């Protein structure tokens, strides 16, 4: 078994100002979205302007932070935050939900699409291939923080996380997620979006791909201690991923029958 390398959670410290790795990974994630988005625009894969891209990233930052926090509050610990509502704003204590962040991003994309007089799925098809590398950066941040570790395992790459306090080797599930939800999903989407596709299919592949990868990895990830496993022995992450897979499949197959002109 492997020993978890004890990372310093602070990446940079200048006097009293400390930059944590997790926050830095968020910045890297959005920077990657900016770089890849500019590349797609330069290649003629979208008729959005560079200014549109920057506006879109700004709105997505708001959607991720607000939606991610509210999603965690609603999906994971509603009773805790109902009893202590002021703690909703304690972002430094952690607690973000990908699925809540996704809902937040969809809402801001809807507002952006209406402002630009475009269709939601058109904007979604542009931004979807840009997201997975940002997700990979976030999962690397989870690993550096030594959080969201996996379930016990006897596999040779099982890792002992000192933060658990039990000395048991566990799946490094953060790295599984980085590899699947991040790198593998990026490769699939980047390949799929390189050619014109029916409106909505790129967005659909993102929804299905993330949902399937997250559902599978959750079998190796330790469920939240305050929730445990829920209906059917599934985790909250799995239950929230199922609608993504279903909605993605509906969008994908409806797009095949649609008369909309293909877009990149």
């Amino acid at each position: 078994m492997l020993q978890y390398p004890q990372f310093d959670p602070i990446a940079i410290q200048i006097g009293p100002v400390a930059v944590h790795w997790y926050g830095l990974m968020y910045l890297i994630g959005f920077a990657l979205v900016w770089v890849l988005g500019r590349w797609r625009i330069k290649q003629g894969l979208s008729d959005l302007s560079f200014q549109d891209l920057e506006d879109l990233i700004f709105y997505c930052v708001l959607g991720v932070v607000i939606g991610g926090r509210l999603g965690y509050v609603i999906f994971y610990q509603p009773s805790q935050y109902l009893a202590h509502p002021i703690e909703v704003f304690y972002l430094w204590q952690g607690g973000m939900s990908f699925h809540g962040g996704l809902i937040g991003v969809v809402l801001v994309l809807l507002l952006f699409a209406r402002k630009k007089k475009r269709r939601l799925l058109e904007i979604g098809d542009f931004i979807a291939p840009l997201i997975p590398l940002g997700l990979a950066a976030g999962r690397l941040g989870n690993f550096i923080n030594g959080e969201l570790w996996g379930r016990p395992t006897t596999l040779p790459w099982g890792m002992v996380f000192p933060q658990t306090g039990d000395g048991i080797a566990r799946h490094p599930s953060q790295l599984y997620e980085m590899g699947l939800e991040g790198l593998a999903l990026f490769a699939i989407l980047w390949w799929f979006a390189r050619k014109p596709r029916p409106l909505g299919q790129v967005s659909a592949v993102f929804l299905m791909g993330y949902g399937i990868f997250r559902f599978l990895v959750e079998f190796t990830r330790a469920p939240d201690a305050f929730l445990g496993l829920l209906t059917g022995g599934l985790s909250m992450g799995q239950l929230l991923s199922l609608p993504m897979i279903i909605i993605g499949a509906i969008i994908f197959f409806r797009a095949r029958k649609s008369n909309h002109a293909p877009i990149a």
Side-chain angles (χ1 to χ4, degrees), residues 150-203:
R151 303 184 193 188
T153 180
T154 57
L155 291 171
W157 57 84
M159 186 172 290
V160 176
F161 290 86
Q163 294 87 342
T164 66
D166 57 18
I168 297 174
R170 297 173 176 273
H171 287 284
S173 54
Q174 315 96 322
L175 299 183
Y176 299 168
E177 290 183 285
M178 182 180 76
L180 291 175
E181 302 166 10
L183 302 181
L185 185 56
F186 170 74
I188 292 169
L189 279 168
W190 202 255
W191 167 81
F192 187 76
R194 79 193 194 285
K195 294 181 179 180
R197 304 290 180 180
L199 180 69
Q201 279 200 340
V202 176
S203 301

Side-chain angles (χ1 to χ4, degrees), residues 78-140:
S79 58
Q80 166 69 19
Y81 290 101
L82 280 174
H84 308 281
I86 190 63
E87 293 183 6
V88 172
F89 302 99
Y90 292 0
L91 297 180
W92 58 89
Q93 292 184 356
M96 297 286 283
S97 161
F98 165 82
H99 297 90
L102 176 63
I103 293 171
V105 167
V106 170
L107 291 176
V108 298
L109 291 185
L110 180 60
L111 294 174
F112 180 85
R114 287 184 175 178
K115 179 180 177 181
K116 297 294 181 179
K117 295 181 172 56
R118 294 172 181 265
R119 289 170 289 190
L120 172 62
L121 289 176
E122 180 184 352
I123 304 299
D125 286 350
F126 168 72
I127 198 101
L130 315 181
I131 296 174
L133 286 187
L135 297 179
R139 292 309 182 190
L140 181 57

Side-chain angles (χ1 to χ4, degrees), residues 211-226:
I212 290 170
F213 286 146
R214 177 68 181 270
F215 189 90
L216 294 175
V217 172
E218 285 281 331
F219 284 116
T220 70
R221 178 172 158 176
D224 296 284
F226 51 84

Side-chain angles (χ1 to χ4, degrees), residues 43-62:
Q43 297 299 311
L45 297 173
S46 174
D47 61 355
L48 291 174
S49 68
F50 291 152
Q51 183 60 55
D52 288 335
L53 172 64
E54 291 171 4
D55 291 344
L56 193 54
I57 291 173
F58 173 75
Y59 295 137
C60 285
V61 169
L62 296 179

